[in-house]
Amino acid sequence: RVQCAEDTLSHRQASTREQFELLEGLLGDARAERAKEVQAAQGRMDELHEMIVEETAACQKQQALLRERMSFLEAKTGDNSEERAAGRQQQAQMKEQMDVLEVHLGEALQGHTAQIQERWAVLEQRLGALERLASSDFERAELQNMRVGLEEELRAALLE
């Protein structure tokens, strides 16, 4: 009878160990998947940033050229208000184009932010499910520690 109880206890410990190892594997997979998602999102954000930098530089060059042209025209024509008005109109058009570009880039950034938030919500659901499946306080604490670590990694990745 004692031997039977010892066998049962030993079997439960082995089963718990196996479940814990399975949970660790699942968490590791989820964390690796999330890291890949965050890395992909960071790559896309870097691409968008590079596009913004390039567009800003191009706009600044265009603006400098417009200023040079206006100065040249003013020097050649003296006080020709029609040409000045045309120059101002060109400058206003450039500003409008810059405003449109900023709006489009802002929308793209919001879209990527929304995707990251959706993926984070899915990850949190998975972690919550794993926490509910955890059979001991130790396992729940380990899962909570992993959640905190993932949150810190995500914040760091988004701030870079």
Side-chain angles (χ1 to χ4, degrees), residues 11-12 55 96:
H11 178 69
R12 282 187 181 171
E55 286 298 320
E96 288 176 14

Side-chain angles (χ1 to χ4, degrees), residues 1-32:
R1 190 172 183 180
V2 171
Q3 182 62 35
C4 182
E6 287 176 358
D7 290 343
T8 301
L9 178 62
S10 177
H11 178 69
R12 282 187 181 171
Q13 287 175 341
S15 176
T16 301
R17 250 187 248 111
E18 290 171 1
Q19 289 174 354
F20 187 68
E21 288 171 1
L22 176 63
L23 285 173
E24 283 180 331
L26 289 173
L27 284 174
D29 293 346
R31 187 174 186 179

Side-chain angles (χ1 to χ4, degrees), residues 76-99:
K76 291 290 182 183
T77 60
D79 192 20
N80 190 339
S81 56
E82 288 179 9
E83 290 180 352
R84 285 185 181 182
R88 282 189 224 103
Q89 184 179 5
Q90 263 188 326
Q91 191 174 17
Q93 288 173 344
M94 286 294 296
K95 183 178 180 337
E96 288 176 14
Q97 290 173 352
M98 284 294 292
D99 291 343

Side-chain angles (χ1 to χ4, degrees), residues 113-133:
T113 301
Q115 287 177 349
I116 290 171
Q117 288 172 342
E118 289 171 6
R119 290 178 179 166
W120 180 251
V122 168
L123 181 60
E124 282 190 322
Q125 288 174 350
R126 289 178 183 167
L127 283 171
L130 287 173
E131 286 176 357
R132 287 188 296 278
L133 291 174

Side-chain angles (χ1 to χ4, degrees), residues 60-108:
Q60 288 172 343
K61 284 182 183 179
Q62 186 69 22
Q63 189 177 29
L65 287 173
L66 286 174
R67 283 190 187 125
E68 286 179 39
R69 288 178 184 168
M70 285 180 65
S71 296
F72 175 77
L73 290 173
E74 287 174 357
K76 291 290 182 183
T77 60
D79 192 20
N80 190 339
S81 56
E82 288 179 9
E83 290 180 352
R84 285 185 181 182
R88 282 189 224 103
Q89 184 179 5
Q90 263 188 326
Q91 191 174 17
Q93 288 173 344
M94 286 294 296
K95 183 178 180 337
E96 288 176 14
Q97 290 173 352
M98 284 294 292
D99 291 343
V100 168
L101 178 63
E102 287 176 2
V103 167
H104 288 300
L105 289 173
E107 290 171 354

